[in-house]
Amino acid sequence: MSSTTASQTELKAARVPLGWRDQCSALLIPLNKCRRTNSYTPWTCENERHGYEKCQYDDLMRRMKKMSKLKQEAAAAAAEE
């Protein structure tokens, strides 16, 4: 587990829906707490929100690079045959 991934126990205690339990789940828990505390006002919790969004973006880029590498490897293997 990475530093941005919460355990299943923490996620269950924070009542995070299954669809949001990803690589950035540890950043979502304090963001949701802040949102509830401040009645979901858009100008509060900016630091938490930006940190969570950056984590989501970095995760997307990592997955895209991995998929690109797998496609290149598959194309190279097909070309050898």
Side-chain angles (χ1 to χ4, degrees):
M1 242 188 315
S2 71
S3 63
T4 57
T5 306
S7 70
Q8 290 298 321
T9 308
E10 293 171 323
L11 292 168
K12 188 174 182 180
R15 297 173 51 196
V16 175
L18 290 175
W20 295 98
R21 297 181 185 192
D22 58 5
Q23 295 296 318
C24 302
S25 58
L27 299 174
L28 182 60
I29 294 171
L31 173 60
N32 284 342
K33 280 183 186 177
C34 180
R35 286 174 170 167
R36 283 189 293 271
T37 303
N38 295 300
S39 301
Y40 289 87
T41 51
W43 56 87
T44 58
C45 310
E46 288 182 350
N47 290 335
E48 292 89 346
R49 183 172 50 89
H50 288 302
Y52 177 71
E53 288 174 352
K54 176 152 179 24
C55 180
Q56 288 286 316
Y57 176 77
D58 291 343
D59 186 45
L60 174 68
M61 291 295 115
R62 179 189 57 78
R63 288 184 285 126
M64 286 176 51
K65 285 180 185 178
K66 186 175 181 180
M67 182 56 74
S68 176
K69 183 178 176 183
L70 290 173
K71 284 182 181 180
Q72 288 176 352
E73 290 172 357
E80 289 178 2
E81 292 179 353

